[in-house]
Amino acid sequence: MKSVLETLQKSGRLQRADAALGEWVARGFPDAPPETALAAALAARAVADGHSALALDQAQAWFAGLDGEGKPPTLPGIVAWRKALRDASCVHLHTGDAPSPCVPLVLDAQDRIYLRRYFEYERQLAHALIARTSASGGSTPLPKPPARAEQGGDESGIDPEQQRAIEIALAHRFTLVTGGPGTGKTHGVVRMLAALAAHAHAQGTELRIAMAAPTGKAAARLRESVRAQLDRLHLPAPIAACIPDAASTLHRLLGLSPWSPRPRHGRTTTLPFDVVVVDEVSMVDLPLMAKLVAAVPANAHLVLLGDPDQLSAVEAGNVLGALVDAANNGPLLDCHVALTRSHRFAAGSPLGALAAAIAQQGADAAIAVLERGDGVALVDEPRIARLADHAADAYRAVLDATGPGEALRAARSFRVLTALRRGPSGCLALDDAIAARLKRHAGVRADAAWWRGRLVLVTANRAELGLFNGDTGVVWPDEHGVPQAWFEGAEGALRRFAPAALPANEGAFALTVHKAQGSEFERVALVTGPDSAVLTRELLYTGVTRARSAVTLYTTPEILRAGIGRRTLRMTGLADRLRETQDTNPERA
């Protein structure tokens, strides 16, 4: 088996760490069939590829799709593989709802093989969420929801779906609100928080609320959206005072750091809040969600907001997809509201119609919308140089700004997004090409690294600096003419950093769709590049919905059709864990 793992490693389909785990299993459990070591190595590779488990019936198709040299070898047949795993002492057969023993692998009833840690993430998360779905989950029972739950001077502007979300929050300790861009997720959540705060105020207590998102950019957008809603609602002062005007990243909320394997807040040291709201949940991976839910006190409210049609987290799991699955006639049915009415896109909006067509896998409908134009367009242009010229023209407003604040605002009006990171149509090459044109326009030396108007993207977290992966700044000279990197902080205040003090960073004139997730721009140019496994329905939908008013797709109709027809594969069992937990929970069975 060692030679097989070495061969797979040399082909590029396994990393050294994956093969090493398989070899460790073979050494530690010499009586285990060789198929077990292979399963361990592939399960580790699956986690690195964004899955929480390896589904035996999907393993061959997934494995064949991995980058590597030569034709992929044929994996064992599912019947023989299942038997080998069931007979192995290093594999726990999960048949009920008990914790797995201390063995490296777990095989569930649906023929998924897990690394034990990821199985326990799913099992523990399912237990914690199901416990919250009961109305009696808190120490103080909540009242029956009023006919009109929101509090404040503005009684208009809330639709029945949003009202239903408020009622769920008043009745349960867990609320899941899903919907596309502009469906009013944050609009509804402000009303929800106002209703919860009013109830607490009536009981003589003050509600402690935390708001968070996976990235700094998403957290900033959540704060801005909530603040805008508060300005319009004219809530009573005691109620408005409970709703925070700041939002943090999940890592900062939990106290996670690269120097410690454990968060500051967890099961034994829970968060000091009565309500925790998390936006952009599609970007939250399985381990992070498990840590979050464990850290929220049992009598507190957890509110999750997200768009299930967007890209899943880069890391392991598809948490939001599993939660929505479990809400469809499942254990989370009573805690879920799907918002369907878009307040951003007017009826008949081409941009809204394009997003809907992609989400529903309607390639013909998407191309028909693009052919009609009016804010959406398809440019079948193979010359990336032409795109770089157009992009540089759009970014002139950044260079022509009178200060860093105006430059950052101008940068939000347009962005180039790509499906790929590398290659001629990847974000790195496009960023270089756009930057070169802007340097010529500004009369800057071609080899200048830090020049006025350059957009810079932070790619690593530095909590001590208040800079996080995904934050975007602009290079601008200070009062002494020294180049500084400027970022927007709380309340829109500008923060400056010497370039040498920044964490890992790169240019931000062109971003991958993954990096842009959680951001919004007035106009977007979306570059698909050649057809590849990376180009999926979810990526196209996420890229298109980063735009508020206009989007141009640089692709061909054939590549667009292929991308819309390709779904992101995520092998996960969280929805099954939720159903299993419901079946064994006497309050929810």
Side-chain angles (χ1 to χ4, degrees):
M1 179 51 61
K2 182 176 181 180
S3 62
V4 173
L5 296 177
E6 288 177 346
T7 300
L8 294 179
Q9 184 186 338
K10 290 177 181 178
S11 75
R13 289 187 171 83
L14 283 184
Q15 300 299 316
R16 175 62 196 140
D18 308 328
L21 177 63
E23 292 165 3
W24 176 83
V25 167
R27 289 195 307 270
F29 299 87
D31 60 332
E35 294 89 345
T36 307
L38 177 63
L42 291 180
R45 181 65 178 86
V47 167
D49 205 38
H51 311 279
S52 59
L54 176 72
L56 299 186
D57 62 346
Q58 300 178 67
Q60 185 66 58
W62 161 75
F63 188 59
L66 294 178
D67 291 336
E69 298 176 359
K71 183 179 178 181
T74 301
L75 299 179
I78 185 172
V79 175
W81 208 355
R82 180 196 301 127
K83 183 179 187 308
L85 293 171
R86 286 175 174 268
D87 292 341
S89 59
C90 58
V91 178
H92 167 64
L93 302 181
H94 173 71
T95 55
D97 190 38
S100 57
C102 194
V103 294
L105 302 174
V106 177
L107 180 67
D108 72 2
Q110 292 77 28
D111 289 330
R112 300 185 194 94
I113 190 73
Y114 288 83
L115 302 182
R116 179 179 177 273
R117 177 190 300 180
Y118 287 86
F119 176 80
E120 284 301 313
Y121 280 140
E122 285 191 353
R123 192 189 67 82
Q124 292 168 11
L125 177 57
H127 266 272
L129 290 177
I130 293 299
R132 291 180 179 279
T133 60
S134 171
S136 59
S139 58
T140 304
L142 291 172
K144 181 179 179 180
R148 197 73 181 168
E150 73 273 19
Q151 305 292 323
D154 179 7
E155 292 293 321
S156 64
I158 187 164
D159 60 38
E161 293 173 340
Q162 293 170 333
Q163 177 67 21
R164 172 62 180 154
I166 294 170
E167 294 170 357
I168 288 174
L170 287 169
H172 296 281
R173 301 294 178 183
F174 174 63
T175 306
L176 175 65
V177 182
T178 61
T183 51
K185 295 186 291 295
T186 51
H187 176 80
V189 86
V190 172
R191 303 289 188 120
M192 181 191 302
L193 295 177
L196 290 169
H199 170 62
H201 183 69
Q203 293 188 326
T205 60
E206 186 174 303
L207 205 65
R208 299 167 300 171
I209 300 171
M211 301 191 305
T215 66
K217 179 59 69 177
R221 276 193 57 217
L222 174 61
R223 177 187 66 81
E224 292 166 3
S225 181
V226 169
R227 189 179 186 85
Q229 298 300 329
L230 282 175
D231 291 342
R232 289 196 288 265
L233 284 178
H234 308 296
L235 297 170
I239 307 304
C242 292
I243 300 177
D245 59 2
S248 73
T249 64
L250 283 174
H251 283 77
R252 193 168 196 177
L253 178 71
L254 297 175
L256 283 162
S257 79
W259 301 283
S260 174
R262 294 185 179 181
R264 184 167 62 250
H265 295 286
R267 192 169 286 104
T268 57
T269 53
T270 55
L271 291 163
F273 299 107
D274 305 301
V275 182
V276 176
V277 178
V278 181
D279 196 13
E280 297 288 358
V281 173
S282 64
M283 301 167 64
V284 182
D285 60 74
L286 174 63
L288 184 57
M289 183 60 77
K291 292 179 175 71
L292 167 69
V293 176
V296 177
N299 61 346
H301 298 258
L302 176 62
V303 181
L304 302 182
L305 314 173
D307 183 349
D309 289 318
Q310 284 192 29
L311 284 165
S312 300
V314 176
E315 292 80 10
N318 178 13
V319 173
L320 182 57
L323 298 184
V324 172
D325 185 357
N328 293 331
N329 298 317
L332 302 183
L333 176 64
D334 296 337
C335 300
H336 176 228
V337 171
L339 305 180
T340 58
R341 179 186 171 194
S342 177
H343 302 272
R344 180 195 296 182
F345 304 130
S349 158
L351 187 52
L354 177 60
I358 293 172
Q360 296 161 15
Q361 292 186 278
D364 290 341
I367 291 173
V369 172
L370 288 164
E371 288 174 345
R372 290 197 298 271
D374 191 16
V376 298
L378 186 150
V379 177
D380 186 354
E381 171 59 77
R383 290 175 294 174
I384 296 301
R386 183 68 61 85
L387 166 61
D389 289 338
H390 293 326
D393 288 341
Y395 284 124
R396 295 275 176 85
V398 177
L399 271 63
D400 296 341
T402 58
E406 184 181 330
L408 286 169
R409 289 190 292 274
R412 290 196 287 268
S413 66
F414 174 76
R415 197 59 50 95
V416 174
L417 305 182
T418 68
L420 303 173
R421 177 171 173 78
R422 303 189 184 279
S425 58
C427 69
L428 298 179
L430 278 170
D431 186 83
D432 286 345
I434 295 166
R437 285 160 173 77
L438 291 173
K439 286 179 181 180
R440 288 198 297 270
H441 173 73
V444 175
R445 284 176 45 177
D447 61 350
W450 300 96
W451 45 281
R452 170 178 156 154
R454 181 196 177 207
L455 297 183
V456 59
L457 176 76
V458 172
T459 58
N461 294 327
R462 283 286 296 277
E464 70 275 17
L465 295 179
L467 291 174
F468 299 92
N469 188 359
D471 287 352
T472 302
V474 65
V475 178
W476 207 266
D478 62 14
E479 62 274 18
H480 304 293
V482 178
Q484 301 284 315
W486 300 77
F487 295 82
E488 279 191 355
E491 309 296 327
L494 291 177
R495 304 166 64 223
R496 70 172 82 177
F497 298 88
L502 292 177
N505 61 84
E506 60 192 37
F509 292 116
L511 306 175
T512 63
V513 173
H514 278 93
K515 284 293 186 183
Q517 200 167 354
S519 300
E520 278 185 3
F521 310 99
E522 198 62 33
R523 296 174 294 126
V524 161
L526 177 57
V527 185
T528 66
D531 188 26
S532 70
V534 171
L535 188 66
T536 63
R537 178 188 70 87
E538 292 83 0
L539 184 140
L540 288 165
Y541 173 86
T542 303
V544 165
T545 55
R546 296 313 88 202
R548 293 187 61 86
S549 63
V551 64
T552 300
L553 273 69
Y554 286 80
T555 187
T556 68
E558 295 74 23
I559 290 175
L560 181 61
R561 285 181 184 278
I564 292 175
R566 186 181 295 118
R567 297 296 305 271
T568 300
L569 169 66
R570 282 295 171 97
M571 295 179 282
T572 173
L574 178 57
D576 288 322
R577 302 291 85 77
L578 286 160
R579 295 185 182 97
E580 292 168 359
T581 305
Q582 180 195 36
D583 292 341
T584 57
N585 187 324
E587 294 187 10
R588 296 287 300 167

